[in-house]
Amino acid sequence: MSHLLADPTVALVVGGSTDDRDRVRGALPDAIEAVAVADRDDLTERLSARNDVGCIVAVGVDEAGFDDAVEAARAVSDHLPVVAYADDEAVAAAVAGRADCRYLPRSASVETLGAVVDDAVATFRERRQAAADSGILRTLLEEGQMTMFAKDEAGRYVRMADVPYTPDPEEFVGKTDPEVFDHGSDADREAYEDDLRVAETGEPIRRQIEHFETQGGDHWSEVTKVPWRDGDGRVVGVVGYALDVTERMQLKRRLEEQQRRFDEFASYVSHDLRTPLQVSVGALERAREGHEEAFDRIERANERIEEILADLSALSKGDRTVDLSEEVLDVLDVGVSSTELAPLVEQVWSVHGTDDATLEVAVPEGTEVIAETEAVRPLVENLLKNALDHAGPDVTVRVGTTDRGFYVEDDGPGIPEAEREQVLEAGYTTTEDGTGTGLAIVAETVDQQGWEVDIRESETGDAPGARFEFTECPVVVPEPAEPTGEPVALTGNVDVGDVSVAGSATPGAADGSWRVVGDGRDIWHDIDEFHFAYVELDGPVRIEGRLDELEAVHEYSKAGLMVRDTLAEDAAFAFVGATGDHGTETMWRHEAGAAAGSDQLEEPYDAYPWYRLDAVDGTVTLSWSTDGEDWHPIDQRRIDLADPVVVGLAVCSHSADETSEAVFENVTVTELDPLD
């Protein structure tokens, strides 16, 4: 595009005699440099050597000579004009069928010729710049991988960039944000209203932060919108771009959370220590009176005080990072911790429960919440204490699980709907001696863990009651099963999705070893592009194995175990495996056609090289291990799977033109028999 650096002020004069060419050269305006050329070869050579040609003047040519001049011009630019200065009806007819060409009879004055050439050069200058601008914009829209857009005055898309994780650009045309997106919030409507405001007022919006939610989590964009004006300066729409600032906003959130924990730490300590201190003081009086059993209560209360101090210290620090040595990895559980729910609830109740109150634990044995005990215990403790404080001395408290979390409910008077958001705020209390910190601790834990909490009426007892239901909270309910026979071999391999480079899967020398090479932009949202070595089986089914090597070409290159409903691109699936730089990743699409979500666990690389995936009656449990013997669940999802399923090894490079290679060892696929 270096020709854009040169002003097109040169007219090449070809054809006719030397006198004819000199006459034309003398007729052109002073601002245009006229250069005479002898023939077509000379014309072609000069066009290839110069970037400042703005017009070709063909003098006295016949139709063939005119065609030669046009062909030479089109080799340089689709818009380079050719002015035919001739007396030939065939040439006049040929000009009429050619864009950017003009005909002028030899009888016209040289002044008229000069004006025609001057106008042709000016038109070419404008069209050349417009074509360059259009090409630049088209390249940015198609190749820039940055969200750019143009909308009309009604907020409807006219053009949209082709970027990953968004619908096809053609699907945007003629639609507004609320019609294209479905983020489940007011973000789309607010963005649409901003479009209308910019188009109406002509005032730009610059670097505005917009937040929206997808199945993959929270995302933020920094959006700039400016008025789109026509040649007369009238606003005809909006032009803008959006930058993904999710990482920046997540960091900001973490810093704000740390500051808030620091500010609230003292009040939390005071609140949570109060009950065991009261128990200890009361028991001390009974001990002085000679009641020896009181010493046991004092001991339990003191142990609880120590636990509270440890728990609140961890809560104040949030997610902890530790520089782990190889020796520490052998003995320390890193990455994702889990808490067995029922024993924790019963232990907390043993400290705070009363003789008249009743606890019902409707939790299957072995059910685990995928979170540290230090985070779960304060939440459970404050919910149980809240029920005991507000629902009466003979309250019944019930704890149970849901499809995607757990709940704590009571049979007390409940919480009025108008107050359900307020009760989670720090300082809110309905009693004169209350501190308002108990349920705020619950809200803090929920926010820290990335869960959701919904307060509603209880399903326990006749009274309205209060029910705290926690969702987006990984809870693993045991699905006991055992293999029914010998392992089943992987029998096929295929590229799923529109990959650029074909993948491959090759069994290794040892039993259960595989080398899998895969391309693909991603496995997330509406993109399924990867290589898959698989076998088709009727469920229930288990696959496990060790990821020995991953040659990552991107921080989100991934390799692991997958179960899918079918081999279709938008099939329901679950995945567990490793990424290049973000530790273990779990992924899922709950039903065909839905957006796929993911979690990265960010544990130290190679801390958990073993992975397992169990699919039993639509429940998929994802686990990891350090040695292939002691397994720890890390997630469980309901996935819409129907027999037969396809299960195997998946590798995605997270790149359009590079492949990643993974080596798996000890891979086994077995059919399962669920245990009663």
Side-chain angles (χ1 to χ4, degrees), residues 161-402:
D162 187 7
V163 293
Y165 317 118
T166 62
D168 187 278
E170 295 300 322
E171 296 182 24
F172 285 85
V173 176
K175 299 178 182 178
T176 63
D177 275 354
E179 293 170 331
V180 174
F181 298 106
D182 182 17
H183 291 139
S185 68
D186 294 331
D188 306 324
R189 170 62 57 179
E190 292 170 357
Y192 170 65
E193 292 173 352
D194 286 343
D195 295 336
L196 298 183
R197 184 162 57 254
V198 172
E200 181 179 351
T201 66
E203 295 294 326
I205 295 174
R206 301 186 187 276
R207 303 183 68 179
Q208 175 173 278
I209 301 297
E210 295 183 355
H211 170 247
F212 55 93
E213 298 176 357
T214 71
Q215 197 164 14
D218 289 338
H219 290 267
W220 289 264
S221 291
E222 184 180 83
V223 181
T224 292
K225 298 178 179 180
V226 297
W228 174 13
R229 301 182 186 274
D230 64 12
D232 297 325
R234 294 174 299 185
V235 178
V236 296
V238 176
V239 177
Y241 62 90
L243 302 176
D244 187 347
V245 293
T246 299
E247 288 189 10
R248 189 178 85 194
M249 295 304 295
Q250 288 174 336
L251 175 60
K252 180 181 178 182
R253 269 191 164 188
R254 288 196 293 269
L255 292 174
E256 290 173 347
E257 288 172 2
Q258 290 174 0
Q259 181 63 46
R260 185 172 65 253
R261 292 190 191 99
F262 179 81
D263 293 340
E264 296 180 353
F265 182 72
S267 64
Y268 286 178
V269 171
S270 174
H271 176 271
D272 274 16
L273 285 177
R274 181 182 304 168
T275 297
L277 282 173
Q278 289 173 341
V279 170
S280 183
V281 170
L284 182 60
E285 290 297 323
R286 289 184 56 80
R288 285 172 175 166
E289 295 171 359
H291 298 280
E292 293 188 4
E293 74 279 0
F295 289 107
D296 293 335
R297 290 182 60 83
I298 294 173
E299 183 178 6
R300 288 199 302 270
N302 289 342
E303 289 174 351
R304 181 62 193 126
I305 290 172
E306 292 181 0
E307 291 173 351
I308 289 172
L309 292 175
D311 291 352
L312 292 176
S313 176
L315 184 63
S316 71
K317 296 174 183 176
D319 295 332
R320 295 166 292 173
T321 58
V322 182
D323 187 12
L324 299 173
S325 67
E326 290 296 325
E327 292 76 16
V328 171
L329 281 174
D330 290 337
V331 298
L332 183 62
D333 191 22
V334 297
V336 174
S337 298
S338 60
T339 301
E340 196 167 348
L341 184 57
L344 174 65
V345 171
E346 291 165 352
Q347 190 274 331
V348 171
W349 187 262
S350 71
V351 174
H352 300 286
T354 65
D355 293 338
D356 295 329
T358 302
L359 173 69
E360 296 179 0
V361 181
V363 175
E365 184 179 354
T367 297
E368 296 184 65
V369 180
I370 307 302
E372 293 178 340
T373 303
E374 291 84 353
V376 181
R377 183 189 285 116
L379 179 146
V380 170
E381 185 167 42
N382 281 282
L383 287 174
L384 297 183
K385 288 163 60 179
N386 184 73
L388 291 165
D389 290 342
H390 296 281
D394 59 348
V395 63
T396 295
V397 181
R398 183 181 178 89
V399 180
T401 59
T402 64

Side-chain angles (χ1 to χ4, degrees), residues 4-64:
L4 294 175
L5 301 177
D7 192 20
T9 57
V10 173
L12 299 182
V13 184
V14 63
S17 65
T18 302
D19 289 343
D20 288 336
R21 293 193 292 273
D22 288 344
R23 182 167 173 262
V24 169
R25 291 172 61 194
L28 300 186
D30 293 339
I32 296 177
E33 178 187 356
V35 177
V37 295
D39 51 31
R40 175 175 174 169
D41 291 341
D42 190 14
L43 174 64
T44 301
E45 183 177 343
R46 288 180 183 262
L47 284 171
S48 63
R50 308 189 63 138
N51 292 321
D52 55 358
V53 176
C55 182
I56 296 173
V57 182
V59 183
V61 294
D62 57 14
E63 186 176 3

